[in-house]
Amino acid sequence: MTAPKPLVFDGHNDLLSKIFNEGGIARVASFFEGREGAIDLKKAEVGGFGGGFFAVYVPSKFDLEFSYQEMEKASYSLALPEPIEWSEAVAVVASQVTILRELERLGGLTICHSVSDIRSAFEKEKIAAIFHIEGAEAIDPDLHMLEVLHSAGLRSIGPVWSRPTIFGEGVPFSFPSTPDIGSGLTELGIALVKRCNELNIMIDLSHLNEAGFWDVARHSNAPLVATHSNVYSITQHSRNLTDKQLRAIADSDGMVGLNFAAAFLREDGKMLADVPLSQVLKHLDYLLEILGEDRVGLGSDYDGAIMPEELNDLSNLPNLILAMESHGYDEILIKKLCCENWLRVLQKTWGC
C-alpha cells in the first residue's frame, strides 16, 4: 500500500492512555517495535500519518468489554462514570506526559507548540504531536496546574470527558439521545475558558454536553472546535453535534474533526466494526454542507474505540483517501480535510 499524499493530521488519538494502561513508560518501546493497537511508528509510515492531537486521558474504573456489549444493542444508556479525584488525576496525567516526552526523546515524534513547529516536523519527517488533555480533572480550582501544564507544552484541552468535573458535565454514551443533557459550565468552567483564551489553549467541545457547548460559545473569543465528533442528524447519538451546534461552529470559523468510532457513524448507533466507507463519507458530506470546505477535518479516536474494518489502524488511512477520490473530492479539498484545515484553525487559535 502506498502512503497517501498529503499527510494526515488527526484531531484525536488515545495512544498515551493505551501505553499507560499497557504498563506505562516501560512499554514506550512498543511504539517503535510494533503494537497490537492502532498506532505505532510503522503503521504511521505506511498510512502517511503526519501527526495530530495526542490525548492525555485519566481512565475511569469501568468494564470496557461490558460497555461495548451494551453498545451493540438497539438502544442503550451507559451510566456516567464517577468523578475522578484531583490527586489521582494529577498522578495519571504526570505519567502520561512523561510517556509523551519519552516518545519525543527517543525520536518517535516532536511535541509542537505552534503551526510553524508542525510544518517543521513535517519537513523533517517527524510525527507532529499536540499535547492535549481530554477531561480537566487534573486542573485545580485556582487553575495553577493549567499554568504548569501549559509550560510543559499543553496547547489543547477538553473541559470534560463523559463524566462531570468541577468545570462542567459531559454527555453519557446513549443512543438514541440528544446531547442536551445536564447543566452548563460552572463558574469555574467559565474561568477555565477565559484563561485558556488568554493562554491561547484550544478548547475542545467533544464530550461536552449541549448546555456547556453554548456556554463556551458565549464566553470564548476563540474558534469553536470539536476535535472528534460527528453529525447528530445522521446518527442520533448524544456524542454527536446538532445542526444548530454545527452552524455555531461555522459562524465562529472553527471546525469539526470527523470521529471514526463506529457507534457515532452508524445510523443504528451500534459499536460494530462493519461500517462501510460510504457511511464515513455521508458524515463528511453533511459536515461540508454546513461548515464549508475550510472547517472540516479528521478526528479518528484511534486507540480509543472500535473502528470501521477498513480504517482499523493508521496503516489503513489510504483507504479513506482513495474513497474520497472515488467520491469526487478533488485534490485541494482532500488536502484540506486531511491536514490543512487543522493548521488553519490552530493558527487562528494559537496565533503562531
Side-chain angles (χ1 to χ4, degrees):
M1 183 184 294
T2 302
K5 298 296 181 183
L7 291 173
V8 172
F9 194 81
D10 181 48
H12 187 90
N13 76 65
D14 285 297
L15 174 69
L16 302 178
S17 60
K18 280 291 187 180
I19 291 178
F20 173 79
N21 290 332
E22 291 166 359
I25 197 76
R27 292 290 297 153
V28 166
S30 67
F31 177 78
F32 301 89
E33 298 166 354
R35 302 172 56 249
E36 291 184 3
I39 301 173
D40 59 42
L41 193 57
K42 180 60 177 177
K43 294 184 183 81
E45 291 170 354
V46 172
F49 176 70
F53 293 69
F54 283 66
V56 168
Y57 161 69
V58 181
S60 283
K61 296 177 176 66
F62 64 94
D63 187 330
L64 183 61
E65 183 177 351
F66 170 78
S67 298
Y68 282 164
Q69 288 173 350
E70 287 294 296
M71 294 176 75
E72 293 177 4
K73 296 179 179 179
S75 63
Y76 51 85
S77 184
L78 302 182
L80 285 174
E82 291 297 314
I84 302 289
E85 293 293 330
W86 180 80
S87 58
E88 177 185 350
V90 168
V92 174
V93 167
S95 295
Q96 291 187 26
V97 173
T98 301
I99 291 169
L100 178 63
R101 293 178 70 88
E102 182 69 358
L103 287 168
E104 181 178 51
R105 187 185 72 81
L106 294 174
L109 52 78
T110 299
I111 301 170
C112 297
H113 304 146
S114 66
V115 172
S116 61
D117 284 350
I118 295 171
R119 293 197 184 278
S120 176
F122 290 169
E123 291 171 2
K124 296 174 183 176
E125 298 185 345
K126 291 285 188 180
I127 292 173
I130 295 172
F131 171 15
H132 167 75
I133 285 182
E134 182 178 39
E137 285 88 354
I139 309 299
D140 57 287
D142 294 319
L143 307 182
H144 294 160
M145 189 56 67
L146 183 70
E147 308 288 337
V148 171
L149 292 170
H150 178 261
S151 297
L154 178 69
R155 292 299 180 270
S156 175
I157 190 169
V160 300
W161 178 70
S162 289
R163 63 191 170 215
T165 70
I166 61 173
F167 304 108
E169 297 182 28
V171 291
F173 292 90
S174 297
F175 178 89
S177 174
T178 77
D180 188 12
I181 301 169
S183 303
L185 296 181
T186 64
E187 289 301 315
L188 291 174
I190 294 169
L192 175 67
V193 167
K194 292 180 178 179
R195 186 57 184 147
C196 284
N197 284 168
E198 292 168 355
L199 293 171
N200 295 328
I201 297 173
M202 197 191 83
I203 301 161
D204 179 19
L205 299 167
S206 293
H207 286 282
L208 193 61
N209 66 8
E210 189 168 359
F213 175 101
W214 294 117
D215 282 340
V216 174
R218 276 189 290 272
H219 293 286
S220 177
N221 61 20
L224 300 177
V225 177
T227 60
H228 58 305
S229 296
N230 292 347
V231 177
Y232 180 81
S233 289
I234 297 174
T235 304
Q236 278 79 58
H237 199 290
S238 56
R239 271 282 283 109
N240 287 342
L241 297 166
T242 67
D243 287 2
K244 185 177 179 181
Q245 288 175 300
L246 293 175
R247 284 192 288 269
I249 292 170
D251 290 344
S252 77
D253 202 20
M255 69 175 287
V256 174
L258 180 87
N259 194 322
F260 297 174
F264 313 144
L265 289 168
R266 295 171 60 106
E267 291 174 41
D268 62 7
K270 294 182 179 180
M271 192 66 92
L272 295 171
D274 57 333
V275 184
L277 291 180
S278 59
Q279 186 67 15
V280 180
L281 292 166
K282 186 172 184 178
H283 281 265
L284 275 177
D285 284 343
Y286 200 103
L287 290 171
L288 287 165
E289 181 179 349
I290 294 184
L291 295 166
E293 67 176 33
D294 296 326
R295 303 181 188 92
V296 182
L298 305 179
S300 69
D301 215 352
Y302 274 137
D303 272 335
I306 293 174
M307 302 281 108
E309 292 168 349
E310 295 178 86
L311 286 175
N312 66 338
D313 63 43
L314 289 181
S315 69
N316 288 309
L317 285 170
N319 292 337
L320 180 56
I321 293 174
L322 289 172
M324 290 179 186
E325 292 173 349
S326 298
H327 193 59
Y329 293 1
D330 63 27
E331 183 179 351
I332 294 173
L333 177 56
I334 291 172
K335 186 175 182 180
K336 287 182 176 182
L337 294 173
C338 287
C339 180
E340 291 301 320
N341 285 347
W342 275 122
L343 302 193
R344 180 198 68 80
V345 82
L346 289 172
Q347 178 73 50
K348 188 166 185 178
T349 302
W350 292 345
C352 59

